[in-house]
Amino acid sequence: MDRLDGHAHLMIVSDLDYTMVDHDDQENLSLLRFNALWESDYRHNSLVVFSTGRSPMMYKQLRKEKPLLTPDITIMSVGTEITYGESMVPDDGWEQYLNHKWDRDVVLEETAKFPQLSFQSSTEQRPHKVSFFIQKGYAEEVMKSLSELLVNRGLDVKIIYSGGICLDILPLGAGKGEALAYLHKKFKADGKLPTNTLVCGDSGNDTELFSVPDVYGVVVSNAHEELLKWYAQNSKDNPKIIHATERCAAGIIQAIGHFGIGPNISPRDVVNSGFKIKSFNPGHEIVMFYLLYERWRRAEVENSDLTIHNMISITHPSGILVHPSGVEHSILECIDTLVPCYGDKRGKQFRVWVDRVSSSQISSDSWLVKFDKWELSDEGRHCCLTTVLLNSKPETPKGFALVNVHQTWLDGYAAGDHTTWIF
Ligand code: GLC
Ligand code: MG
């Protein structure tokens, strides 16, 4: 929460499954496009919040499977659990608040009367969330009867149907929208209300996000029937909410452009890095550098002297790379090693992305940039905590040079084949 000094320029509050993450896209291309845009243009002044139906355990599982960035805030279990920062510090106050007129045992007793309901896995049963599967045809009727029974037992609950199969029972004060309203209230009390909030979703449990006051919203193109129905009835004429024509994270990028709330060109959509800069943005340069590295090895840039010259031009002649194994190389030497690797990952799985980019200007002409650098290949997925020292070098096309790159394994990966690790 305190990562930014002032208020956020943009706060994105996004669902994960089939919104940020497209499970039908094995290459994760739209997610990687979003990641590059975020780390290049937003990380330094904005907040990203993941708002998922998943329990903490299933959420962590997804983070292992997909190239998800580290969010500033995580709302889990359909808005019943909120945690802050990368260490996921829970908001105990929120969970206390949800005890109001809530009794799990009573929910279990009453739901047992409905044979149409079948329990989801134990991981998805949480202190303030009881979850079932139910066939579409039964859902409406069961929700109505169940809700009456629970009111009669003195509870205040909310029953949500999502994805045409999942039924969640939560305290009335819970849910993704309530959790966001609570965060807004907290930010406001600190004088840090984000300038813009963009909510993003695809299914029933996302519906209430779109009713939070003053937010922009995007229903991704691939949304489920229950959200589309709600949108048609409630938001079609609301200019702050769109139904994107693009799927998942591509729909989020589309919405940023549609509402004009910030840059919407992902570095991944830029083929020629256009070696001219308007104002120096260290995050952008780091994203572009690793993208060039990925594209070189995938043979997606031209294998030309100009490309190599461009890489060399952003290298300080005495620049040093401290390899995670502790070995030091000159950066120029690393570029020499990279040249013959052109296309060695062609047709193979190979993606590079950065997360948690933060930079600080440490003198009139130098910046220290820290980030997690991820590399996914057929050999697995590995992360290096990387520190880069950039020096301004007005005579170069980019106006800066890499002086020192220092990497540390973040995931205990120490053996491995270091000879294939270049940057
Ligand atoms: C996620 C959760 C599940 C919930 C569903 C809809 O899939 O794992 O428990 O029912 O979201 O909210
Ligand atoms: Mg979803």
Side-chain angles (χ1 to χ4, degrees), residues 114-118 120 132-143 160-162 164-167:
F114 295 87
Q116 303 92 328
L117 292 172
S118 55
Q120 290 185 14
F132 300 90
F133 294 120
I134 185 169
Q135 294 306 320
K136 232 188 223 174
Y138 300 123
E140 210 165 307
E141 192 193 315
V142 168
M143 281 165 81
I160 305 179
Y161 193 53
S162 299
I165 182 83
C166 297
L167 186 138

Side-chain angles (χ1 to χ4, degrees), residues 53-54 78 120 124 129 131 162 166 168 205:
R54 290 181 179 237
V78 197
Q120 290 185 14
E124 300 315 279
K129 169 176 173 281
S131 294
S162 299
C166 297
D168 303 309
N205 69 12

Side-chain angles (χ1 to χ4, degrees), residues 89-213:
V89 179
D91 188 325
D92 296 329
W94 176 245
E95 295 194 35
Q96 284 296 320
Y97 164 74
L98 297 182
N99 287 330
H100 179 71
K101 288 200 172 179
W102 171 254
D103 188 333
R104 267 192 118 254
D105 293 338
V106 171
V107 174
L108 293 177
E109 273 170 42
E110 295 300 331
T111 47
K113 297 175 182 165
F114 295 87
Q116 303 92 328
L117 292 172
S118 55
F119 267 111
Q120 290 185 14
S121 70
S122 58
T123 64
E124 300 315 279
Q125 312 301 338
R126 304 294 297 162
H128 298 99
K129 169 176 173 281
V130 184
S131 294
F132 300 90
F133 294 120
I134 185 169
Q135 294 306 320
K136 232 188 223 174
Y138 300 123
E140 210 165 307
E141 192 193 315
V142 168
M143 281 165 81
K144 194 162 167 277
S145 322
L146 186 57
S147 148
E148 279 165 18
L149 290 175
L150 291 170
V151 169
N152 290 341
R153 297 285 310 264
L155 301 196
D156 266 352
V157 300
K158 183 180 268 180
I159 307 179
I160 305 179
Y161 193 53
S162 299
I165 182 83
C166 297
L167 186 138
D168 303 309
I169 307 169
L170 326 168
L172 187 64
K176 290 184 174 186
E178 299 288 347
L180 172 56
Y182 170 80
L183 289 176
H184 269 170
K185 208 166 126 195
K186 272 188 126 170
F187 280 122
K188 203 169 176 186
D190 288 349
K192 287 186 170 185
L193 194 63
T195 312
N196 296 302
T197 298
L198 172 65
V199 303
C200 322
D202 77 307
S203 86
N205 69 12
D206 301 313
T207 309
E208 54 176 65
L209 281 175
F210 297 92
S211 305
V212 173

Side-chain angles (χ1 to χ4, degrees), residues 283-353:
H284 178 74
E285 299 309 332
I286 293 298
V287 169
M288 290 311 286
F289 177 77
Y290 282 100
L291 203 50
L292 179 60
Y293 168 65
E294 177 191 293
R295 287 170 170 169
W296 180 263
R297 298 191 67 182
R298 292 176 62 93
E300 289 174 355
V301 278
E302 211 186 322
N303 184 355
S304 70
D305 287 347
L306 181 65
T307 317
I308 297 160
H309 172 79
N310 284 346
M311 279 193 255
I312 292 174
S313 76
I314 54 165
T315 301
H316 197 278
S318 54
I320 292 287
L321 177 126
V322 184
H323 194 276
S325 63
V327 178
E328 289 189 13
H329 295 285
S330 90
I331 300 178
L332 286 172
E333 227 172 79
C334 295
I335 292 176
D336 283 346
T337 319
L338 184 60
V339 173
C341 294
Y342 182 81
D344 67 339
K345 300 287 184 187
R346 195 193 320 241
K348 294 186 185 160
Q349 174 168 243
F350 185 69
R351 294 289 173 191
V352 182
W353 68 96

